[in-house]
Amino acid sequence: MNRRPLFPDLARPFVLSHRGNMNGNIENSMEAFQNCADNGVQGVELDVHLCLTGEAVVIHDSDLMRMTGEGGKVEELSWEVLKKRRIGKDEEERSLGNRIPLLEDVISSFSSSLYFDIELKPKTIPSPSLIRKTSAIIKRYGMEKKVMISSFNPLALILWKRLGIKEIPTGLIYSEGEGVPRFLQHGNGRFLVNCDVLKPHSSLLSLSRKFLKGHHVLIWGDPIPSPLDYAPDGIITDFPQSFM
């Protein structure tokens, strides 16, 4: 089956920085994305939730405790509340003043310098509003050829295919990580959604080889083997400089 093109202008394997350049920066922060752009990293992987008032916000966890030191769920709080939260894994990092960014601010700031792997972080039943909001931002900045959409949740990718931008490639992420349903840990979500990209954790690459053919492939999960004995389309890593 024909797959949608995945960043055809980039040489293989291309390198995306996981949650921005976290090596010395705060994950999913504007500072981290700026570091990538300044140092010639080709693109970034980032995480998107929809908050209570409908804004697409860039943060990994739904629960805010790890990254802000204060409780609450992203989906249950307004942007007026969220934009005041300083982010960082401890008080020292939070004292630097970085805050949760809007997806629109990230895309508008780095549309000319970075490619994006946008991971949708929905609830179990994905919200159509998350799909529509993300699509609108991508269209507003003409980023259709510089974005892919990913999720651990195949239902989110199914919904994207119905309501999102059809020409944008979709990627199924999988790992044996905590919180990933057992059925989905080894890539079985591909039976539910016809995605363009498979994104196995590096520890599952050998197990996955028998069904990777015919898909674009992105490997993630440090440490990523080097040198690679498999030729993926791209690598997602906390340490992009190691592969540049």
Side-chain angles (χ1 to χ4, degrees), residues 145-164:
K145 294 183 179 179
K146 296 184 70 176
V147 168
M148 65 171 287
I149 296 294
S150 297
S151 188
F152 279 93
N153 187 338
L155 298 180
L157 300 181
I158 291 171
L159 192 61
W160 179 271
K161 288 176 174 293
R162 291 178 182 172
L163 302 177

Side-chain angles (χ1 to χ4, degrees), residues 7 77 84 97 100 122 144 162 182 192-193 200 209 226 232 239:
F7 307 157
L77 295 173
K84 298 173 183 176
I100 301 170
E144 289 89 344
R162 291 178 182 172
R182 184 175 295 275
L192 302 177
V193 58
R209 286 179 186 234
S226 183
F239 309 102

Side-chain angles (χ1 to χ4, degrees), residues 178-190:
E178 183 180 352
V180 180
R182 184 175 295 275
F183 172 72
L184 300 178
Q185 289 184 355
H186 297 151
N188 289 331
R190 72 189 190 278

Side-chain angles (χ1 to χ4, degrees), residues 4-15 42 115 197 216-218 228 231-235 243:
R4 293 168 181 80
L6 176 64
F7 307 157
D9 295 336
L10 296 182
R12 267 50 178 169
F14 55 79
V15 179
Q42 293 164 308
Y115 287 75
V197 187
H216 302 296
V217 177
L218 297 187
L228 286 164
D233 290 84
I235 296 162
F243 295 90

Side-chain angles (χ1 to χ4, degrees), residues 1-6 12 161 169-172 174 190 193-200 208-218 230-233:
M1 179 173 291
N2 292 330
R3 303 293 175 187
R4 293 168 181 80
L6 176 64
R12 267 50 178 169
K161 288 176 174 293
T170 54
L172 178 70
Y174 57 97
R190 72 189 190 278
V193 58
N194 179 31
C195 60
D196 305 288
V197 187
L198 289 177
K199 297 177 58 179
S208 303
R209 286 179 186 234
K210 61 182 179 290
F211 57 78
L212 292 177
K213 186 176 180 180
H215 292 85
H216 302 296
V217 177
L218 297 187
Y230 180 87
D233 290 84

